[in-house]
Amino acid sequence: MGMNDPSRRRVLGAAATGTALSLAGCSALDDDAPLDTDGAGGTATVAVDIDERMAEREAEIQQQLQDEEISQEEAQAEFQAAQIEALEDAVEAVESYAADIDGLSVTETSTQAGALLVDGDPAAMIEALDNDDIGALVSAAQFEQFQEQPAESE
């Protein structure tokens, strides 16, 4: 058990990296900067939510680590690969969703940050929050900040 605790902590630490964007998106909602809308249309940042996509894979990796089927390093590598895949899948899903919605378009994407800059009707943007792959809708200025955040890894 003692040998697995450090490994488990590191894997859980890596999981925290996966939710960093979600937390950044939530804390960005506290900003005083409103969504950039003028009534006719606007621009905002969409932060994807990968928690649901990652939950099962994270449990599998933790179980493999506990059963000593993989090393700590392999677990970290598998978790990071799963995170990248989840981000790519979620960004692609949001892009596809936006393409199917009248009055909503993706103008820029940062898959690594899990963020998309969208332009369009404010009502369509708000409605997009019902999409399971969308974790937050924040100011367009947040897009650049998400891109500037260094990827955390320990």
Side-chain angles (χ1 to χ4, degrees), residues 109-121:
T109 301
S110 175
T111 302
Q112 183 179 2
L116 300 93
L117 194 60
V118 296
D119 187 57
D121 179 52

Side-chain angles (χ1 to χ4, degrees), residues 43-104:
T43 305
T45 300
V46 169
V48 298
D49 181 358
I50 63 169
D51 291 345
E52 191 172 309
R53 292 176 186 269
M54 287 297 298
E56 184 177 337
R57 188 65 188 121
E58 182 180 351
E60 290 171 5
I61 293 169
Q62 286 178 341
Q63 188 61 50
Q64 289 176 323
L65 190 59
Q66 276 184 330
D67 294 344
E68 297 181 0
E69 295 174 11
I70 59 175
S71 69
Q72 171 184 328
E73 292 79 17
E74 290 170 324
Q76 288 174 334
E78 283 190 35
F79 187 84
Q80 288 174 346
Q83 264 188 321
I84 291 167
E85 183 179 337
L87 283 168
E88 290 171 348
D89 290 349
V91 166
E92 184 177 313
V94 172
E95 287 175 326
S96 176
Y97 172 83
D100 292 340
I101 299 297
D102 286 335
L104 189 63

Side-chain angles (χ1 to χ4, degrees), residues 25-48:
C26 291
S27 67
L29 293 175
D30 294 336
D31 287 351
D32 290 332
L35 295 179
D36 298 330
T37 61
D38 60 9
T43 305
T45 300
V46 169
V48 298

